[in-house]
mmCIF file of all heavy atoms in Angstrom:
data_model
loop_
_atom_site.group_PDB
_atom_site.id
_atom_site.type_symbol
_atom_site.label_atom_id
_atom_site.label_comp_id
_atom_site.label_asym_id
_atom_site.label_seq_id
_atom_site.Cartn_x
_atom_site.Cartn_y
_atom_site.Cartn_z
ATOM 1 N N GLU A 1 -6.866 6.444 -6.529
ATOM 2 C CA GLU A 1 -6.354 5.830 -5.310
ATOM 3 C C GLU A 1 -6.370 4.305 -5.441
ATOM 4 O O GLU A 1 -5.431 3.620 -4.995
ATOM 5 C CB GLU A 1 -7.133 6.296 -4.116
ATOM 6 C CG GLU A 1 -6.756 5.616 -2.805
ATOM 7 C CD GLU A 1 -5.313 5.892 -2.332
ATOM 8 O OE1 GLU A 1 -4.607 6.709 -2.972
ATOM 9 O OE2 GLU A 1 -4.892 5.264 -1.355
ATOM 10 N N LEU A 2 -7.381 3.760 -6.071
ATOM 11 C CA LEU A 2 -7.477 2.328 -6.231
ATOM 12 C C LEU A 2 -6.337 1.817 -7.137
ATOM 13 O O LEU A 2 -5.666 0.800 -6.806
ATOM 14 C CB LEU A 2 -8.824 1.952 -6.874
ATOM 15 C CG LEU A 2 -9.182 0.480 -6.946
ATOM 16 C CD1 LEU A 2 -9.116 -0.186 -5.564
ATOM 17 C CD2 LEU A 2 -10.595 0.319 -7.527
ATOM 18 N N VAL A 3 -6.040 2.523 -8.215
ATOM 19 C CA VAL A 3 -4.903 2.185 -9.070
ATOM 20 C C VAL A 3 -3.594 2.266 -8.259
ATOM 21 O O VAL A 3 -2.757 1.360 -8.357
ATOM 22 C CB VAL A 3 -4.833 3.121 -10.301
ATOM 23 C CG1 VAL A 3 -3.479 2.955 -11.026
ATOM 24 C CG2 VAL A 3 -5.974 2.819 -11.245
ATOM 25 N N ARG A 4 -3.444 3.305 -7.467
ATOM 26 C CA ARG A 4 -2.222 3.479 -6.670
ATOM 27 C C ARG A 4 -2.046 2.314 -5.702
ATOM 28 O O ARG A 4 -0.912 1.824 -5.522
ATOM 29 C CB ARG A 4 -2.283 4.796 -5.900
ATOM 30 C CG ARG A 4 -0.962 5.180 -5.217
ATOM 31 C CD ARG A 4 -1.181 6.066 -4.024
ATOM 32 N NE ARG A 4 -1.988 5.427 -2.994
ATOM 33 C CZ ARG A 4 -1.507 4.589 -2.122
ATOM 34 N NH1 ARG A 4 -0.213 4.175 -2.179
ATOM 35 N NH2 ARG A 4 -2.295 4.041 -1.212
ATOM 36 N N ILE A 5 -3.133 1.861 -5.094
ATOM 37 C CA ILE A 5 -3.044 0.774 -4.142
ATOM 38 C C ILE A 5 -2.572 -0.513 -4.830
ATOM 39 O O ILE A 5 -1.717 -1.239 -4.283
ATOM 40 C CB ILE A 5 -4.437 0.543 -3.458
ATOM 41 C CG1 ILE A 5 -4.704 1.677 -2.493
ATOM 42 C CG2 ILE A 5 -4.488 -0.781 -2.735
ATOM 43 C CD1 ILE A 5 -6.173 1.748 -2.007
ATOM 44 N N VAL A 6 -3.096 -0.794 -6.013
ATOM 45 C CA VAL A 6 -2.664 -1.977 -6.780
ATOM 46 C C VAL A 6 -1.184 -1.847 -7.130
ATOM 47 O O VAL A 6 -0.406 -2.795 -6.975
ATOM 48 C CB VAL A 6 -3.514 -2.169 -8.056
ATOM 49 C CG1 VAL A 6 -2.999 -3.410 -8.846
ATOM 50 C CG2 VAL A 6 -4.982 -2.352 -7.701
ATOM 51 N N LEU A 7 -0.771 -0.663 -7.642
ATOM 52 C CA LEU A 7 0.643 -0.469 -8.010
ATOM 53 C C LEU A 7 1.561 -0.613 -6.804
ATOM 54 O O LEU A 7 2.643 -1.200 -6.885
ATOM 55 C CB LEU A 7 0.814 0.895 -8.676
ATOM 56 C CG LEU A 7 0.069 1.137 -9.991
ATOM 57 C CD1 LEU A 7 0.340 2.551 -10.484
ATOM 58 C CD2 LEU A 7 0.423 0.113 -11.046
ATOM 59 N N ALA A 8 1.125 -0.079 -5.667
ATOM 60 C CA ALA A 8 1.938 -0.158 -4.447
ATOM 61 C C ALA A 8 2.096 -1.614 -4.000
ATOM 62 O O ALA A 8 3.179 -2.029 -3.583
ATOM 63 C CB ALA A 8 1.306 0.682 -3.328
ATOM 64 N N SER A 9 1.023 -2.394 -4.140
ATOM 65 C CA SER A 9 1.079 -3.801 -3.777
ATOM 66 C C SER A 9 2.046 -4.566 -4.665
ATOM 67 O O SER A 9 2.880 -5.362 -4.176
ATOM 68 C CB SER A 9 -0.323 -4.417 -3.857
ATOM 69 O OG SER A 9 -0.279 -5.807 -3.597
ATOM 70 N N LEU A 10 1.968 -4.296 -5.969
ATOM 71 C CA LEU A 10 2.887 -4.974 -6.914
ATOM 72 C C LEU A 10 4.340 -4.548 -6.660
ATOM 73 O O LEU A 10 5.250 -5.385 -6.782
ATOM 74 C CB LEU A 10 2.499 -4.629 -8.350
ATOM 75 C CG LEU A 10 1.141 -5.131 -8.830
ATOM 76 C CD1 LEU A 10 0.845 -4.609 -10.265
ATOM 77 C CD2 LEU A 10 1.062 -6.646 -8.797
ATOM 78 N N THR A 11 4.538 -3.307 -6.266
ATOM 79 C CA THR A 11 5.892 -2.802 -5.978
ATOM 80 C C THR A 11 6.447 -3.522 -4.747
ATOM 81 O O THR A 11 7.586 -3.968 -4.721
ATOM 82 C CB THR A 11 5.848 -1.299 -5.742
ATOM 83 O OG1 THR A 11 5.348 -0.645 -6.915
ATOM 84 C CG2 THR A 11 7.250 -0.774 -5.437
ATOM 85 N N LYS A 12 5.637 -3.619 -3.698
ATOM 86 C CA LYS A 12 6.094 -4.248 -2.455
ATOM 87 C C LYS A 12 6.427 -5.703 -2.649
ATOM 88 O O LYS A 12 7.216 -6.275 -1.904
ATOM 89 C CB LYS A 12 5.019 -4.049 -1.357
ATOM 90 C CG LYS A 12 4.876 -2.631 -0.885
ATOM 91 C CD LYS A 12 3.664 -2.438 0.024
ATOM 92 C CE LYS A 12 3.446 -0.971 0.368
ATOM 93 N NZ LYS A 12 2.180 -0.758 1.096
ATOM 94 N N GLU A 13 5.757 -6.342 -3.621
ATOM 95 C CA GLU A 13 6.002 -7.752 -3.874
ATOM 96 C C GLU A 13 7.091 -7.967 -4.926
ATOM 97 O O GLU A 13 7.276 -9.094 -5.403
ATOM 98 C CB GLU A 13 4.710 -8.449 -4.262
ATOM 99 C CG GLU A 13 3.688 -8.445 -3.122
ATOM 100 C CD GLU A 13 2.539 -9.411 -3.391
ATOM 101 O OE1 GLU A 13 2.719 -10.361 -4.193
ATOM 102 O OE2 GLU A 13 1.485 -9.250 -2.765
ATOM 103 N N GLY A 14 7.747 -6.887 -5.304
ATOM 104 C CA GLY A 14 8.903 -6.989 -6.231
ATOM 105 C C GLY A 14 8.551 -7.248 -7.655
ATOM 106 O O GLY A 14 9.378 -7.766 -8.435
ATOM 107 N N MET A 15 7.330 -6.904 -8.077
ATOM 108 C CA MET A 15 6.923 -7.107 -9.465
ATOM 109 C C MET A 15 6.893 -5.848 -10.289
ATOM 110 O O MET A 15 6.615 -5.876 -11.486
ATOM 111 C CB MET A 15 5.522 -7.765 -9.494
ATOM 112 C CG MET A 15 5.507 -9.216 -9.010
ATOM 113 S SD MET A 15 3.880 -9.963 -9.116
ATOM 114 C CE MET A 15 3.268 -9.750 -7.467
ATOM 115 N N LEU A 16 7.187 -4.706 -9.653
ATOM 116 C CA LEU A 16 7.083 -3.408 -10.341
ATOM 117 C C LEU A 16 8.143 -2.463 -9.794
ATOM 118 O O LEU A 16 8.447 -2.508 -8.583
ATOM 119 C CB LEU A 16 5.679 -2.826 -10.128
ATOM 120 C CG LEU A 16 5.318 -1.512 -10.785
ATOM 121 C CD1 LEU A 16 5.382 -1.612 -12.305
ATOM 122 C CD2 LEU A 16 3.922 -1.059 -10.334
ATOM 123 N N PHE A 17 8.705 -1.625 -10.646
ATOM 124 C CA PHE A 17 9.695 -0.623 -10.254
ATOM 125 C C PHE A 17 10.856 -1.276 -9.503
ATOM 126 O O PHE A 17 11.218 -0.882 -8.407
ATOM 127 C CB PHE A 17 9.055 0.450 -9.388
ATOM 128 C CG PHE A 17 7.817 1.112 -9.990
ATOM 129 C CD1 PHE A 17 6.739 1.401 -9.172
ATOM 130 C CD2 PHE A 17 7.783 1.446 -11.334
ATOM 131 C CE1 PHE A 17 5.575 1.999 -9.736
ATOM 132 C CE2 PHE A 17 6.641 2.018 -11.892
ATOM 133 C CZ PHE A 17 5.558 2.295 -11.078
ATOM 134 N N THR A 18 11.465 -2.252 -10.135
ATOM 135 C CA THR A 18 12.547 -3.002 -9.495
ATOM 136 C C THR A 18 13.946 -2.516 -9.909
ATOM 137 O O THR A 18 14.931 -3.127 -9.578
ATOM 138 C CB THR A 18 12.427 -4.523 -9.820
ATOM 139 O OG1 THR A 18 12.412 -4.679 -11.239
ATOM 140 C CG2 THR A 18 11.150 -5.080 -9.204
ATOM 141 N N GLY A 19 14.002 -1.455 -10.691
ATOM 142 C CA GLY A 19 15.300 -0.932 -11.133
ATOM 143 C C GLY A 19 16.039 -0.198 -10.042
ATOM 144 O O GLY A 19 15.693 -0.282 -8.852
ATOM 145 N N ASP A 20 17.028 0.570 -10.434
ATOM 146 C CA ASP A 20 17.855 1.301 -9.473
ATOM 147 C C ASP A 20 17.270 2.618 -9.068
ATOM 148 O O ASP A 20 17.915 3.691 -9.109
ATOM 149 C CB ASP A 20 19.280 1.518 -10.043
ATOM 150 C CG ASP A 20 19.994 0.223 -10.342
ATOM 151 O OD1 ASP A 20 19.716 -0.767 -9.580
ATOM 152 O OD2 ASP A 20 20.775 0.179 -11.278
ATOM 153 N N HIS A 21 16.002 2.608 -8.743
ATOM 154 C CA HIS A 21 15.328 3.834 -8.343
ATOM 155 C C HIS A 21 14.254 3.495 -7.348
ATOM 156 O O HIS A 21 13.736 2.411 -7.301
ATOM 157 C CB HIS A 21 14.761 4.604 -9.526
ATOM 158 C CG HIS A 21 13.889 3.712 -10.399
ATOM 159 N ND1 HIS A 21 14.364 3.061 -11.494
ATOM 160 C CD2 HIS A 21 12.557 3.375 -10.306
ATOM 161 C CE1 HIS A 21 13.396 2.336 -12.045
ATOM 162 N NE2 HIS A 21 12.303 2.538 -11.320
ATOM 163 N N HIS A 22 13.912 4.476 -6.500
ATOM 164 C CA HIS A 22 12.892 4.247 -5.482
ATOM 165 C C HIS A 22 11.532 4.681 -6.011
ATOM 166 O O HIS A 22 11.416 5.713 -6.691
ATOM 167 C CB HIS A 22 13.248 5.053 -4.212
ATOM 168 C CG HIS A 22 12.430 4.662 -3.026
ATOM 169 N ND1 HIS A 22 11.225 5.254 -2.755
ATOM 170 C CD2 HIS A 22 12.620 3.727 -2.059
ATOM 171 C CE1 HIS A 22 10.731 4.691 -1.642
ATOM 172 N NE2 HIS A 22 11.556 3.770 -1.237
ATOM 173 N N PRO A 23 10.471 3.907 -5.730
ATOM 174 C CA PRO A 23 9.156 4.243 -6.213
ATOM 175 C C PRO A 23 8.591 5.533 -5.613
ATOM 176 O O PRO A 23 7.560 6.030 -6.066
ATOM 177 C CB PRO A 23 8.296 3.054 -5.827
ATOM 178 C CG PRO A 23 9.019 2.382 -4.728
ATOM 179 C CD PRO A 23 10.469 2.593 -5.007
ATOM 180 N N GLY A 24 9.248 6.088 -4.598
ATOM 181 C CA GLY A 24 8.903 7.410 -4.080
ATOM 182 C C GLY A 24 7.477 7.551 -3.604
ATOM 183 O O GLY A 24 6.879 6.659 -3.034
#
């Protein structure tokens, strides 16, 4: 869960999973 929280934060700030797909 801690890893997921970090990944979600990076995603919301546009640093991760920025391609033509939704992080789901």
Side-chain angles (χ1 to χ4, degrees):
E1 175 63 7
L2 189 55
V3 168
R4 189 205 62 79
I5 288 167
V6 178
L7 297 180
S9 175
L10 295 176
T11 301
K12 289 170 186 173
E13 295 194 22
M15 290 183 263
L16 183 63
F17 307 138
T18 55
D20 297 329
H21 51 265
H22 192 272

